[in-house]
Amino acid sequence: MSENNLITDNIKRILGNRKFKAYVRSFGCQLNVSDGEKIKGVLKKIGYGFTEDEREADIIILNTCAVRESAEDRVFGIIGSMKKLKEEKPSLIIGIAGCMTAQEHISEKIRKSYPQVDFVMGTSAINALPSLLLECLKGKKFSADISEYDDFSETVEQVRESSFKASVPIMFGCNNFCTYCIVPYVRGRERSRRPEDIIREVRQLVNDGYREIMLLGQNVNSYGNDLESDISFPQLLRELNKIDGDFIIRFMSSHPKDASKELIDTIFECEKVAKHLHLPLQSGSNSVLERMNRRYTAEQYLEIVDYIRNRDPDFSITTDLIVGFPNETDEEFEDTLDIIKRVKYDNIYSFIYSRRTGTKAADTEDFISESEKSQRMRKLLELQREISSEHYKRFIGRKMRVIVDGVSKKHEGYLTGKSNEFIIAEFKGDISLMGKFITIEVTDAMNWAVIGRMI
Ligand code: SAM
Ligand code: SF4
Ligand code: F3S
């Protein structure tokens, strides 16, 4: 029996027969959400049930994100508000997990200033959760495990949020050290999962009825660089494409410096791989890209876009952008707007630069005011709104196959779905269609979605 199984048995003995409930909330990117599903898997094995209401919980775990200061402030606000819950129920266990805790100064701040917290665990300490929990149950005041583990919790069964969409991390960590980004410091160096483990997991998910598989990594096109076998990301895609079944394969993110023609050719060649690339540009200015250590130029980026769009003008491209990188000039910002106009993105995710302690850019004195940054952000979003609504009109009158994935918050009686190109569609339909592929005819286009009717 493994050490963790012994610990789990020990905890079960302490908890007895009562049904204990856990509240697990993940913040940040899909990789973190996937970790949250593993945390739930560990808790389920111990015997916990789950609740969406923290007041009902016997254990609360916040799985945090450190990518921007606003994300951290939000979590500190929530931890603060949990003091009252702990006073009302002293047996409540509160644990903080994820990227914030992997920064030593943050773990220290939690330990010193938030006595309601019982333990902190880092991003790869999921296997350490049972022993941390046992220490709490035995009455230890505060425990921490933020060490890096190299196993990928392959044996941990995830408690998945959805019954038809599944995230599959294929690699962890990042080697790129973009000067603004905290991820390499909190997630460690790149570690790829073995291809056979990924293929087995995807095959199982498809057998279990999952219809949308999202492969995750901070830079999926570096997949395999650290493995002994010489498998590359395009090869992995080709292997996954061979799995029998009606399902769609998506992936993110791809770093433009490694987005090869082979990758693009592979996407076109594999019928199950979505015709969509999330290709974070960050900035359209070469001088800013250099200061960001992105290792590509605007021209090289556009070369990939042209290669894609020459083969298929409908191929969807989305991106991440940072506004107000330290000392970004008006001209540098205009360069970003120019690329947005040129590429005509299907969607953008834009962020105002946030200073992250420990990163290289954090040491740069910044002369651009916050109000100037906000103004630029508004300008950028306005431009993208105009582009998306114009761009989505290309689908009007066409048929679109979508996977039904939700209920519209804007239009009563409407469902939402995602097309192969990752475009949101809204249409009238019955909730029983959830998780199924259907075909719609697009009748209208908005700046965030298309409207259609089922055929
Ligand atoms: N690995 C992905 C890549 O290279 O594109 C990105 C992962 S990161 C978690 C997601 C996005 O957060 C980045 O693409 C970037 O736009 C944004 N981001 C990262 N650090 C940031 C910072 N310090 N301030 C603002 N946005 C940031
Ligand atoms: Fe951060 Fe850059 Fe790595 Fe993406 S590639 S996670 S932006 S350091
Ligand atoms: Fe945030 Fe960590 Fe993801 S910093 S964006 S949760 S890798």
Side-chain angles (χ1 to χ4, degrees):
M1 197 186 243
S2 78
E3 199 192 343
N4 255 352
N5 284 345
L6 284 171
I7 297 171
T8 301
D9 279 355
N10 233 329
I11 299 175
K12 280 183 177 166
R13 253 195 302 280
I14 296 174
L15 295 181
N17 286 333
R18 225 191 94 198
K19 268 282 158 224
F20 284 85
K21 285 188 183 159
Y23 170 88
V24 179
R25 180 163 173 197
S26 291
F27 301 81
C29 64
Q30 297 189 54
L31 270 162
N32 217 38
V33 172
S34 169
D35 278 353
E37 293 179 342
K38 285 184 188 153
I39 290 174
K40 279 188 164 182
V42 173
L43 292 172
K44 186 177 169 197
K45 198 167 170 208
I46 293 172
Y48 281 93
F50 298 100
T51 174
E52 295 294 309
D53 180 355
E54 65 260 46
R55 285 165 308 182
E56 278 187 358
D58 301 286
I59 179 168
I60 292 176
I61 297 187
L62 300 180
N63 185 29
T64 62
C65 169
V67 80
R68 281 171 288 277
E69 196 177 1
S70 53
E72 293 192 341
D73 289 347
R74 196 161 150 225
V75 168
F76 278 125
I78 297 172
I79 304 177
S81 71
M82 282 177 176
K83 192 171 176 203
K84 198 158 167 276
L85 285 179
K86 184 90 171 189
E87 281 164 4
E88 284 165 9
K89 192 199 260 185
S91 64
L92 172 67
I93 294 173
I94 300 177
I96 311 297
C99 294
M100 271 173 74
T101 63
Q103 305 166 92
E104 240 174 275
H105 69 282
I106 297 281
S107 286
E108 212 28 42
K109 179 172 166 180
I110 295 174
R111 188 181 67 82
K112 279 200 180 130
S113 315
Y114 298 89
Q116 62 270 42
V117 173
D118 296 284
F119 69 86
V120 297
M121 57 184 242
T123 48
S124 25
I126 288 167
N127 278 322
L129 177 55
S131 57
L132 287 167
L133 195 51
L134 184 60
E135 284 176 359
C136 294
L137 290 168
K138 285 183 171 170
K140 192 167 172 193
K141 270 215 145 7
F142 181 82
S143 311
D145 191 335
I146 54 171
S147 50
E148 261 191 40
Y149 292 85
D150 250 343
D151 71 85
F152 303 146
S153 333
E154 290 292 352
T155 52
V156 174
E157 214 178 296
Q158 277 163 264
V159 173
R160 295 186 181 274
E161 304 278 319
S162 163
S163 57
F164 55 91
K165 280 198 286 192
S167 299
V168 177
I170 60 166
M171 58 189 298
F172 302 91
C174 180
N175 290 355
N176 291 315
F177 289 94
C178 302
T179 56
Y180 50 82
C181 185
I182 195 73
V183 171
Y185 302 92
V186 294
R187 287 270 168 182
R189 296 295 71 72
E190 284 173 4
R191 283 117 43 217
S192 303
R193 285 177 68 196
R194 294 187 316 166
E196 54 271 34
D197 291 334
I198 299 168
I199 294 166
R200 192 184 316 114
E201 182 177 349
V202 173
R203 187 171 290 127
Q204 186 59 51
L205 286 165
V206 173
N207 282 342
D208 291 346
Y210 285 85
R211 293 286 163 258
E212 186 177 293
I213 305 295
M214 174 68 91
L215 308 177
L216 295 176
Q218 293 298 352
N219 176 9
V220 285
N221 16 44
S222 309
Y223 172 76
N225 287 354
D226 58 316
L227 291 176
E228 267 174 27
S229 65
D230 58 2
I231 183 146
S232 64
F233 182 59
Q235 275 170 308
L236 179 70
L237 281 180
R238 286 195 287 268
E239 288 304 314
L240 294 172
N241 191 61
K242 286 182 199 159
I243 296 175
D244 280 338
D246 189 11
F247 69 102
I248 186 165
I249 303 167
R250 303 188 187 280
F251 59 87
M252 64 174 36
S253 288
S254 308
H255 195 301
K257 79 176 166 58
D258 302 316
S260 62
K261 291 191 173 148
E262 187 199 354
L263 171 66
I264 312 297
D265 293 342
T266 306
I267 300 174
F268 281 109
E269 183 190 307
C270 296
E271 74 286 356
K272 288 178 180 130
V273 176
K275 303 299 170 272
H276 163 230
L277 195 62
H278 183 64
L279 201 59
L281 171 69
Q282 312 300 357
S283 166
S285 149
N286 284 339
S287 42
V288 174
L289 286 172
E290 202 176 326
R291 301 207 296 279
M292 287 178 163
N293 189 33
R294 288 293 285 179
R295 287 177 276 177
Y296 53 84
T297 61
E299 292 73 23
Q300 285 163 337
Y301 184 95
L302 289 173
E303 209 179 296
I304 313 166
V305 171
D306 288 343
Y307 186 74
I308 297 171
R309 290 265 166 83
N310 283 338
R311 287 192 65 163
D312 178 2
D314 282 339
F315 193 103
S316 167
I317 303 176
T318 54
T319 203
D320 289 351
L321 294 164
I322 294 180
V323 174
F325 185 74
N327 304 317
E328 178 191 58
T329 63
D330 278 336
E331 293 72 32
E332 288 171 335
F333 173 63
E334 289 294 328
D335 286 343
T336 300
L337 298 185
D338 286 345
I339 296 220
I340 296 178
K341 287 180 205 151
R342 165 87 149 69
V343 177
K344 294 196 173 60
Y345 289 105
D346 291 271
N347 206 350
I348 60 170
Y349 303 87
S350 47
F351 312 99
I352 291 184
Y353 169 75
S354 169
R355 186 179 292 267
R356 305 285 59 217
T357 305
T359 61
K360 205 160 167 224
D363 301 331
T364 314
E365 201 180 342
D366 186 6
F367 298 102
I368 313 291
S369 71
E370 290 308 310
S371 70
E372 172 64 32
K373 292 180 186 185
S374 304
Q375 210 175 321
R376 285 180 189 170
M377 181 61 124
R378 279 196 294 276
K379 204 167 163 186
L380 186 148
L381 291 174
E382 184 51 39
L383 171 64
Q384 180 57 30
R385 257 194 296 276
E386 284 165 25
I387 289 173
S388 322
S389 59
E390 209 33 57
H391 198 44
Y392 284 2
K393 281 188 187 149
R394 72 192 191 277
F395 293 109
I396 294 180
R398 291 206 224 162
K399 288 185 184 137
M400 190 182 251
R401 189 169 189 247
V402 299
I403 179 159
V404 183
D405 64 358
V407 174
S408 169
K409 291 192 183 96
K410 303 219 170 170
H411 302 112
E412 218 186 308
Y414 279 66
L415 300 174
T416 61
K418 288 258 173 28
S419 76
N420 186 310
E421 301 86 0
F422 211 50
I423 288 174
I424 301 172
E426 294 211 348
F427 43 87
K428 272 199 176 137
D430 189 82
I431 192 89
S432 61
L433 293 168
M434 192 69 80
K436 300 207 164 72
F437 283 112
I438 60 153
T439 303
I440 59 165
E441 185 183 323
V442 178
T443 52
D444 202 358
M446 294 177 292
N447 55 29
W448 53 275
V450 297
I451 303 287
R453 64 178 167 77
M454 266 171 63
I455 49 175

